[in-house]
Amino acid sequence: MDMNVATNESSTNNPSGDEVTAADNVSNDNDKVSVNKPESTADPDQNLHEMSSDDVVVETQSYDEDTWLTKIPRKVADATEFKNTSGNFLKGCKWAPDGSCILTNSNDNILRIFNLSSDVDNKEENQPTAEMSSVLRMRDGELVYDYCWYPDMNSANPASCCLLSTSRDSPTHMWDAFDGHLRCSYRAFNHVDEIVAAHSLAFDLQRGSILCGFNKMVRVFDVSRPGKQCQQRPTLNKEGGQSGIISCIAVNEVSHMYAAASYSKQVGLYDSGDGSLCYLLQGQIGGITHLIFSTDGTKLYCGGRKDSEILCWDLRNPGKILFVLSRQVLTNQRIYFDISRCGNFLVSGNDNGTVSLWDLRSTDQSGVSEPVISPTKTFLAHHDVVNGVSFNPVLPLLATSSGQRHYHMTSMSDSEDEEGNAEANSREENSLTLWNFM
């Protein structure tokens, strides 16, 4: 289903060419935006992110994904610009839906886009690791809570090249992924008419809407109408329901439902049409930080903070856990996991620097209730926490991001202090890496 993607004709490109901030553009609440991309008022030669439909379209390649279980992935590209600033750790990475570029979030509150290099899918061994540099930067004013691509993003259609972000004490922003300007904003207000920030975001393509998670509330915005007009869907009422901050949202296009998880360790399954609660799932050890539906829409995978279990819920028999995937998560960080395009493999980061891969075809319960399944394959990717993993949707590539907040302890002895800081620095690695499985 086609969905109108918002653009704001009052928005302009960033003339400095380096970073675009959310304060650079303000949208009008009463303007209904059109699907057409507006003409830019800035010099196109000054844009940091230069893309054309000729060099960004990635053709889908056919390859045998079973080789992922037998071959050790090769590091083919690395982005080291995060290492230049101490403490600038990453907070995840997400491939664009067309596989042409990758989006990252880091501790400096900047969303970066990296273009896909032409030689990363080279199958020859002993190739030097390519160096990646960001081609577009979008600075949010405060701590970024969540971000996501437009699901039908296609670089051949500039109007579809956009993404959402939400940050502390700020409205939800829609950014243009071609030149980085702020297309529009979606504002939510509390009972004293103050702007309140969403904690999670998701597009609903079938209904042309944006789902935003708040404290005991999901607000639904019309994509084509920025501003403050929205539908409010409380998740908790006098009869009960789901409590806590809605930390992540996933949309199931197959069954016309969406899942909203909260830090209260609950997952609510809601009807996409009227937002009514269909099922409430409980069983996670920690507050839920990420969830994703299987490609066929029959399963839901959930993971939490300080929780080493990824639970697989059977949506054909709601309330039943099919199996548990075991990983290592000992911090409060959001540790992402992802499913391959064929739906046969799930990958997750770990806080010991490794990446775990499961073959979902081998998850036979064998009559055992809630079996715990160990990874099919594990490899060392970084020397720090792997917080982000993302499968390229068209190429045999995996992106990983690493880093966490490190505290350098001071001691009475200068020698002990130097040794402790040296050990902490040796474990600190803030980087984005691409891996080739072929």
Side-chain angles (χ1 to χ4, degrees), residues 126 243 372:
N126 302 322
S243 62
V372 178

Side-chain angles (χ1 to χ4, degrees), residues 341-391:
R341 66 178 184 181
C342 65
N344 293 334
F345 300 97
L346 186 144
V347 65
S348 173
N350 298 287
D351 63 8
N352 59 0
T354 61
V355 172
S356 298
L357 180 72
W358 288 267
D359 185 353
L360 300 179
R361 297 168 298 180
S362 62
T363 54
D364 183 11
Q365 295 81 46
S366 302
V368 180
S369 177
E370 300 181 17
V372 178
I373 300 174
S374 300
T376 308
K377 182 177 183 177
T378 301
F379 68 94
L380 181 63
H382 299 273
H383 298 290
D384 210 334
V385 174
V386 180
N387 50 54
V389 291
S390 182
F391 280 117

Side-chain angles (χ1 to χ4, degrees), residues 116-270:
L116 180 62
S117 176
S118 59
D119 57 350
V120 295
D121 59 343
N122 194 328
K123 298 181 181 180
E124 296 182 8
E125 300 288 343
N126 302 322
Q127 290 292 321
T129 302
E131 176 67 25
M132 295 189 301
S133 297
S134 59
V135 294
L136 181 63
R137 301 179 183 182
M138 296 156 286
R139 178 184 291 274
D140 249 317
E142 288 287 346
L143 174 69
V144 178
Y145 289 145
D146 198 9
Y147 59 104
C148 67
W149 286 100
Y150 174 59
D152 272 354
M153 179 268 190
N154 189 331
S155 297
N157 179 15
S160 69
C161 297
C162 60
L163 57 103
L164 292 174
S165 72
T166 176
S167 59
R168 182 171 53 198
D169 299 329
S170 301
T172 297
H173 293 136
M174 177 179 285
W175 302 91
D176 191 291
F178 257 73
D179 52 34
H181 78 268
L182 183 64
R183 288 191 180 184
C184 56
S185 297
Y186 304 87
R187 301 181 180 89
F189 294 86
N190 59 16
H191 63 286
V192 292
D193 207 29
E194 297 174 338
I195 286 184
V196 57
H199 291 267
S200 52
L201 300 168
F203 278 100
D204 187 345
L205 283 177
Q206 294 184 341
R207 286 166 175 77
S209 60
I210 299 173
L211 303 175
C212 300
F214 297 84
N215 184 22
K216 295 177 287 188
M217 175 78 69
V218 173
R219 288 181 169 92
V220 183
F221 292 88
D222 186 341
V223 174
S224 63
R225 189 176 291 277
K228 61 183 180 180
Q229 183 177 351
C230 65
Q231 177 187 4
Q232 299 190 31
R233 298 178 176 178
T235 61
L236 185 66
N237 51 39
K238 296 180 179 179
E239 288 74 26
Q242 183 179 7
S243 62
I245 296 174
I246 304 301
S247 56
C248 46
I249 302 176
V251 178
N252 189 337
E253 302 291 352
V254 178
S255 60
H256 309 291
M257 300 173 63
Y258 66 87
S262 64
Y263 290 124
S264 62
K265 311 174 186 179
Q266 297 175 321
V267 180
L269 294 174
Y270 298 88

Side-chain angles (χ1 to χ4, degrees), residues 396-410:
L397 297 175
L398 174 70
T400 60
S401 62
S402 66
Q404 64 177 321
R405 193 181 307 279
H406 288 269
Y407 297 95
H408 303 290
M409 305 300 294
T410 59

